[in-house]
Amino acid sequence: MEKLKIPYPVVVEGKYDRLRLLAVMEGQILTTEGFGIFKKKEKLALLRALAAKTPIVVLTDPDGAGKLIRAHIGTAIPKERIIPLYVPQKKGTEKRKQAPSAEGLLGVEGQDTLLLYELLKPLSDGKIRNTARPISKVDFFEDRLTGCENATARRAALAAHFALPTDMTPNALLAALNVIATFEEYKAAVEKI
């Protein structure tokens, strides 16, 4: 499989995540050095400068630490400049580790290369997907994904359908779906849940 040429900077947590992505893509991959992004103001300043020129892909682990890092980046960069990508929540242990993480989930480095390839593929043409008819908060409300009984369970089922973490906030799920799915794919998935 030929490596994807990704025109946007991709932000991951650590060097092993970066190495894993280098197996499937060519392009700029930056690391947060885990929680180092909270301490190193120059790292956040670099991300802000890049976001002023181009959208930035944020791909963190599906655990609590990954969510904190993602949220921290989201406070420094306008949300319209972030392309959120998510790996699924899979139980397991990375090959280089003796024991699983605290939450027992595989991070970016533990994901299958084909999965990462398919996750990044829509971005390889330089066009952010779903510009024709984005999915909106109104769609979520009308499709009973917010503001009603069982909305949380319905969102979890929708997230699972797209191999996304099932505990995403409504806003995070909406942002992710607008990158990985067309409106028609979204509606078809809603019909199934």
Side-chain angles (χ1 to χ4, degrees), residues 105-121:
L105 300 173
L106 292 174
V108 172
E109 74 173 270
Q111 300 296 321
D112 181 65
T113 50
L114 184 59
L115 181 139
L116 293 172
Y117 185 90
E118 291 300 320
L119 185 65
L120 291 164
K121 190 176 180 181

Side-chain angles (χ1 to χ4, degrees), residues 72-89:
H72 186 64
I73 293 169
T75 62
I77 297 171
K79 69 178 182 176
E80 64 273 4
R81 303 302 288 170
I82 295 175
I83 302 170
L85 291 183
Y86 295 86
V87 294
Q89 293 174 315

Side-chain angles (χ1 to χ4, degrees), residues 103-168:
E103 295 176 41
L105 300 173
L106 292 174
V108 172
E109 74 173 270
Q111 300 296 321
D112 181 65
T113 50
L114 184 59
L115 181 139
L116 293 172
Y117 185 90
E118 291 300 320
L119 185 65
L120 291 164
K121 190 176 180 181
L123 303 177
S124 64
D125 63 4
K127 295 178 186 167
I128 300 171
R129 197 164 179 202
N130 207 7
T131 55
R133 167 60 165 92
I135 305 158
S136 69
K137 288 184 178 182
V138 172
D139 296 318
F140 265 29
F141 181 77
E142 289 174 349
D143 293 329
R144 299 183 353 246
L145 297 166
T146 58
C148 70
E149 191 176 330
N150 296 326
T152 302
R154 288 179 56 76
R155 280 194 313 275
L158 182 65
H161 175 84
F162 286 101
L164 294 168
T166 57
D167 60 349
M168 297 172 76

Side-chain angles (χ1 to χ4, degrees), residues 17-79:
D17 299 330
R18 182 178 183 279
L19 290 171
R20 191 70 169 158
L21 286 188
L22 284 172
V24 297
M25 67 164 278
E26 293 176 6
Q28 186 176 29
I29 304 171
L30 305 165
T31 67
T32 65
E33 298 169 38
F35 285 128
I37 194 145
F38 290 94
K39 300 173 191 167
K40 298 184 178 180
K41 292 182 181 10
E42 64 277 3
K43 184 72 80 168
L44 215 48
L46 170 63
L47 295 181
R48 278 191 201 103
L50 286 170
K53 304 231 182 269
T54 180
I56 294 179
V57 177
V58 178
L59 178 60
T60 58
D61 294 349
D63 58 9
K67 289 177 190 170
L68 282 174
I69 292 166
R70 184 182 292 274
H72 186 64
I73 293 169
T75 62
I77 297 171
K79 69 178 182 176

